[in-house]
Amino acid sequence: MEKINTALVKTAVSKENFSAEDEANLQLAAAKIKSGELVAFPTETVYGLGGNGLDEDAARKIYAAKGRPSDNPLILHFSDLAMVKKLFGTLPAMAEKLLTAYAPGPITVIVPKTPEIPYTVTGGLETVAIRIPDNDITRELIHLAQVPIAGPSANTSGRPSPTTGQMVYDDLKGRIQMILDGGCCQVGLESTIVDCTGEYPVILRPGAITPEMLQELFPVVKLDAALEDASARPKAPGMKYKHYAPKAPMTLLLGSIEDLKKYFAAEIADFKQTETKLGLFISRELRESLGDAVNSPAVVLYDYGSVKDYSAIATKIYYGLRFFDHQKVGRILGQGIAETGLGLAIMNRLKKAAAGNVVKL
Ligand code: TXA
Ligand code: MG
């Protein structure tokens, strides 16, 4: 692939604060999208790698830049519900209800595709994923481009998703022309994907719109079988791939704080530091209960915050997993959390990062 100069362009987060320079950069970014180039964009969940969603060649460029298998479909991003309706006419009632309640926001709905949407975008499927991100920069970009923007997460395939412009730059420099940098993503985990093509909504990927929030709108809400049974084939093709993984192998531990303390203290004491160190991916509570043990020279510590604040943990997950890649860590021990509310999405990503390696104490 030819080497490209990548510009990391800082942009004000809210529309009221866009400077003349921000507006000019957004115009430039929109022109790139229209001419078939790629631009990385911020959202409330994670950064996306965008191209014209109605242009097959742009979609091919996205797969190539990410190194992503082309049977893994892309999400189409719209600026608002009116733009969605312009392309789709009417939407399935379930999808419209979900978007009306939670968009702009961290929700993606799966609906039947329209003829204008290329199969390259849908990975050959008759359905398409659509979403309205809650981010002024990106909604303005889509509005200016006047086309839906196809955008997977802006990481190279298999790596943790990027939640800052710099993380996108680390992965994609030299491969794309422009990254719109809107600072840190507020949610930190990819959107909830809901299949709206059947009788009831089915969650294919958990996210910040939780099953509990969907149950407020629908009497029956199901989870894709693959979320509960690792041997089932996931309906979202992307969920079958190895994902979010740090470079070192990770084990995820579940148990009471007392049992975790005993286990971690013993592992730290037993760890023979050679070339590499032991990474700990743990809560503030566990760090405090381990006391001085975490100060061992063999340990690289990442404290993801209090188990009482799942939203804050979500924003730190990918940053933390990537942090270990920059340290000489040979192995990572992570502390799991309860799978309630946002905990379901957090654990879904952590279990994948640990390649299913979960130990209940
Ligand atoms: O929060 C997000 O959703 C981020 C930001 C950038 O919007 N995007 C994102 O895209 O996570 P990506 O490509 O990394 O993940 C999209 C997921 C994949 O697992 C893919 O298989 C699934 O959505 N998907 C897309 N179209 C689908 C379809 N028609 N049916 C089932 N799953 C689909
Ligand atoms: Mg992704």
PDB file of all heavy atoms in Angstrom, residues 46 66 68 72 152-155 159 161 190 205 243-244, ligand 2:
ATOM      1  N   VAL A  46     -16.660   4.880  20.158  1.00  0.00           N
ATOM      2  CA  VAL A  46     -15.235   4.735  19.826  1.00  0.00           C
ATOM      3  C   VAL A  46     -15.027   5.489  18.510  1.00  0.00           C
ATOM      4  O   VAL A  46     -15.996   5.891  17.872  1.00  0.00           O
ATOM      5  CB  VAL A  46     -14.835   3.243  19.642  1.00  0.00           C
ATOM      6  CG1 VAL A  46     -15.100   2.437  20.909  1.00  0.00           C
ATOM      7  CG2 VAL A  46     -15.554   2.593  18.457  1.00  0.00           C
ATOM      8  N   LYS A  66      -7.889  -1.308   7.351  1.00  0.00           N
ATOM      9  CA  LYS A  66      -7.994  -1.979   8.659  1.00  0.00           C
ATOM     10  C   LYS A  66      -7.367  -3.373   8.661  1.00  0.00           C
ATOM     11  O   LYS A  66      -7.128  -3.945   9.716  1.00  0.00           O
ATOM     12  CB  LYS A  66      -9.476  -2.170   9.007  1.00  0.00           C
ATOM     13  CG  LYS A  66     -10.083  -1.077   9.827  1.00  0.00           C
ATOM     14  CD  LYS A  66     -11.529  -1.418  10.186  1.00  0.00           C
ATOM     15  CE  LYS A  66     -11.694  -2.479  11.258  1.00  0.00           C
ATOM     16  NZ  LYS A  66     -11.791  -1.989  12.612  1.00  0.00           N
ATOM     17  N   ARG A  68      -9.136  -5.861   7.458  1.00  0.00           N
ATOM     18  CA  ARG A  68     -10.315  -6.562   7.993  1.00  0.00           C
ATOM     19  C   ARG A  68     -10.900  -7.521   6.959  1.00  0.00           C
ATOM     20  O   ARG A  68     -10.973  -7.197   5.780  1.00  0.00           O
ATOM     21  CB  ARG A  68     -11.351  -5.498   8.349  1.00  0.00           C
ATOM     22  CG  ARG A  68     -12.751  -6.000   8.671  1.00  0.00           C
ATOM     23  CD  ARG A  68     -13.531  -4.841   9.255  1.00  0.00           C
ATOM     24  NE  ARG A  68     -14.916  -5.112   9.466  1.00  0.00           N
ATOM     25  CZ  ARG A  68     -15.610  -4.557  10.479  1.00  0.00           C
ATOM     26  NH1 ARG A  68     -15.016  -3.762  11.331  1.00  0.00           N
ATOM     27  NH2 ARG A  68     -16.880  -4.797  10.620  1.00  0.00           N
ATOM     28  N   ASN A  72     -17.136  -9.142   6.977  1.00  0.00           N
ATOM     29  CA  ASN A  72     -17.549  -8.511   8.231  1.00  0.00           C
ATOM     30  C   ASN A  72     -18.140  -7.129   7.920  1.00  0.00           C
ATOM     31  O   ASN A  72     -17.403  -6.193   7.641  1.00  0.00           O
ATOM     32  CB  ASN A  72     -16.335  -8.397   9.156  1.00  0.00           C
ATOM     33  CG  ASN A  72     -16.723  -7.924  10.538  1.00  0.00           C
ATOM     34  OD1 ASN A  72     -17.904  -7.706  10.815  1.00  0.00           O
ATOM     35  ND2 ASN A  72     -15.748  -7.755  11.397  1.00  0.00           N
ATOM     36  N   PRO A 152     -16.366   1.296  10.349  1.00  0.00           N
ATOM     37  CA  PRO A 152     -16.051   0.378  11.430  1.00  0.00           C
ATOM     38  C   PRO A 152     -15.214   1.117  12.472  1.00  0.00           C
ATOM     39  O   PRO A 152     -14.802   2.256  12.233  1.00  0.00           O
ATOM     40  CB  PRO A 152     -15.214  -0.691  10.736  1.00  0.00           C
ATOM     41  CG  PRO A 152     -14.502   0.051   9.658  1.00  0.00           C
ATOM     42  CD  PRO A 152     -15.424   1.171   9.226  1.00  0.00           C
ATOM     43  N   SER A 153     -14.952   0.496  13.600  1.00  0.00           N
ATOM     44  CA  SER A 153     -14.051   1.107  14.568  1.00  0.00           C
ATOM     45  C   SER A 153     -12.687   1.307  13.907  1.00  0.00           C
ATOM     46  O   SER A 153     -12.257   0.490  13.081  1.00  0.00           O
ATOM     47  CB  SER A 153     -13.938   0.225  15.810  1.00  0.00           C
ATOM     48  OG  SER A 153     -13.661  -1.106  15.446  1.00  0.00           O
ATOM     49  N   ALA A 154     -11.998   2.404  14.270  1.00  0.00           N
ATOM     50  CA  ALA A 154     -10.802   2.825  13.533  1.00  0.00           C
ATOM     51  C   ALA A 154      -9.510   2.202  14.056  1.00  0.00           C
ATOM     52  O   ALA A 154      -8.460   2.849  14.092  1.00  0.00           O
ATOM     53  CB  ALA A 154     -10.701   4.351  13.549  1.00  0.00           C
ATOM     54  N   ASN A 155      -9.590   0.940  14.453  1.00  0.00           N
ATOM     55  CA  ASN A 155      -8.393   0.206  14.867  1.00  0.00           C
ATOM     56  C   ASN A 155      -7.962  -0.695  13.711  1.00  0.00           C
ATOM     57  O   ASN A 155      -8.763  -0.989  12.825  1.00  0.00           O
ATOM     58  CB  ASN A 155      -8.720  -0.683  16.078  1.00  0.00           C
ATOM     59  CG  ASN A 155      -9.989  -1.494  15.848  1.00  0.00           C
ATOM     60  OD1 ASN A 155     -11.081  -0.928  15.830  1.00  0.00           O
ATOM     61  ND2 ASN A 155      -9.851  -2.789  15.642  1.00  0.00           N
ATOM     62  N   ARG A 159      -7.321  -5.425  17.053  1.00  0.00           N
ATOM     63  CA  ARG A 159      -6.789  -4.618  18.169  1.00  0.00           C
ATOM     64  C   ARG A 159      -7.935  -3.986  18.957  1.00  0.00           C
ATOM     65  O   ARG A 159      -9.035  -3.833  18.446  1.00  0.00           O
ATOM     66  CB  ARG A 159      -5.914  -3.485  17.597  1.00  0.00           C
ATOM     67  CG  ARG A 159      -4.693  -3.994  16.873  1.00  0.00           C
ATOM     68  CD  ARG A 159      -3.459  -3.908  17.718  1.00  0.00           C
ATOM     69  NE  ARG A 159      -3.079  -2.534  17.980  1.00  0.00           N
ATOM     70  CZ  ARG A 159      -2.514  -2.132  19.120  1.00  0.00           C
ATOM     71  NH1 ARG A 159      -2.340  -2.994  20.112  1.00  0.00           N
ATOM     72  NH2 ARG A 159      -2.146  -0.891  19.271  1.00  0.00           N
ATOM     73  N   SER A 161     -10.440  -1.237  20.215  1.00  0.00           N
ATOM     74  CA  SER A 161     -10.936  -0.055  19.495  1.00  0.00           C
ATOM     75  C   SER A 161     -10.318   1.216  20.068  1.00  0.00           C
ATOM     76  O   SER A 161     -10.063   1.303  21.263  1.00  0.00           O
ATOM     77  CB  SER A 161     -12.452   0.032  19.620  1.00  0.00           C
ATOM     78  OG  SER A 161     -13.052  -1.084  19.030  1.00  0.00           O
ATOM     79  N   GLU A 190     -18.112   0.114  21.982  1.00  0.00           N
ATOM     80  CA  GLU A 190     -18.925   0.202  20.774  1.00  0.00           C
ATOM     81  C   GLU A 190     -20.417   0.112  21.092  1.00  0.00           C
ATOM     82  O   GLU A 190     -20.818  -0.478  22.099  1.00  0.00           O
ATOM     83  CB  GLU A 190     -18.569  -0.926  19.791  1.00  0.00           C
ATOM     84  CG  GLU A 190     -17.131  -0.966  19.366  1.00  0.00           C
ATOM     85  CD  GLU A 190     -16.267  -1.717  20.358  1.00  0.00           C
ATOM     86  OE1 GLU A 190     -16.724  -2.019  21.478  1.00  0.00           O
ATOM     87  OE2 GLU A 190     -15.107  -1.993  19.996  1.00  0.00           O
ATOM     88  N   ARG A 205     -24.762  -7.367  19.980  1.00  0.00           N
ATOM     89  CA  ARG A 205     -23.548  -6.920  20.679  1.00  0.00           C
ATOM     90  C   ARG A 205     -23.997  -5.983  21.790  1.00  0.00           C
ATOM     91  O   ARG A 205     -24.654  -4.987  21.520  1.00  0.00           O
ATOM     92  CB  ARG A 205     -22.630  -6.186  19.701  1.00  0.00           C
ATOM     93  CG  ARG A 205     -21.352  -5.643  20.355  1.00  0.00           C
ATOM     94  CD  ARG A 205     -20.425  -4.991  19.352  1.00  0.00           C
ATOM     95  NE  ARG A 205     -20.919  -3.711  18.878  1.00  0.00           N
ATOM     96  CZ  ARG A 205     -20.310  -2.946  17.960  1.00  0.00           C
ATOM     97  NH1 ARG A 205     -19.180  -3.359  17.403  1.00  0.00           N
ATOM     98  NH2 ARG A 205     -20.834  -1.800  17.579  1.00  0.00           N
ATOM     99  N   HIS A 243     -10.743 -10.495  19.115  1.00  0.00           N
ATOM    100  CA  HIS A 243     -11.050  -9.076  19.176  1.00  0.00           C
ATOM    101  C   HIS A 243     -10.399  -8.421  20.372  1.00  0.00           C
ATOM    102  O   HIS A 243     -10.152  -9.079  21.363  1.00  0.00           O
ATOM    103  CB  HIS A 243     -12.552  -8.945  19.399  1.00  0.00           C
ATOM    104  CG  HIS A 243     -13.250  -8.299  18.262  1.00  0.00           C
ATOM    105  ND1 HIS A 243     -12.892  -7.096  17.761  1.00  0.00           N
ATOM    106  CD2 HIS A 243     -14.316  -8.714  17.528  1.00  0.00           C
ATOM    107  CE1 HIS A 243     -13.706  -6.772  16.776  1.00  0.00           C
ATOM    108  NE2 HIS A 243     -14.584  -7.742  16.606  1.00  0.00           N
ATOM    109  N   TYR A 244     -10.235  -7.137  20.297  1.00  0.00           N
ATOM    110  CA  TYR A 244      -9.940  -6.330  21.471  1.00  0.00           C
ATOM    111  C   TYR A 244      -8.715  -6.829  22.232  1.00  0.00           C
ATOM    112  O   TYR A 244      -8.509  -6.480  23.388  1.00  0.00           O
ATOM    113  CB  TYR A 244     -11.129  -6.315  22.448  1.00  0.00           C
ATOM    114  CG  TYR A 244     -12.478  -6.185  21.798  1.00  0.00           C
ATOM    115  CD1 TYR A 244     -13.405  -7.223  21.844  1.00  0.00           C
ATOM    116  CD2 TYR A 244     -12.816  -5.011  21.135  1.00  0.00           C
ATOM    117  CE1 TYR A 244     -14.650  -7.095  21.239  1.00  0.00           C
ATOM    118  CE2 TYR A 244     -14.055  -4.872  20.527  1.00  0.00           C
ATOM    119  CZ  TYR A 244     -14.959  -5.918  20.576  1.00  0.00           C
ATOM    120  OH  TYR A 244     -16.176  -5.788  19.982  1.00  0.00           O
TER     121      TYR A 244
HETATM  122 MG    MG B   2     -14.573  -3.040  15.641  1.00  0.00          MG
END
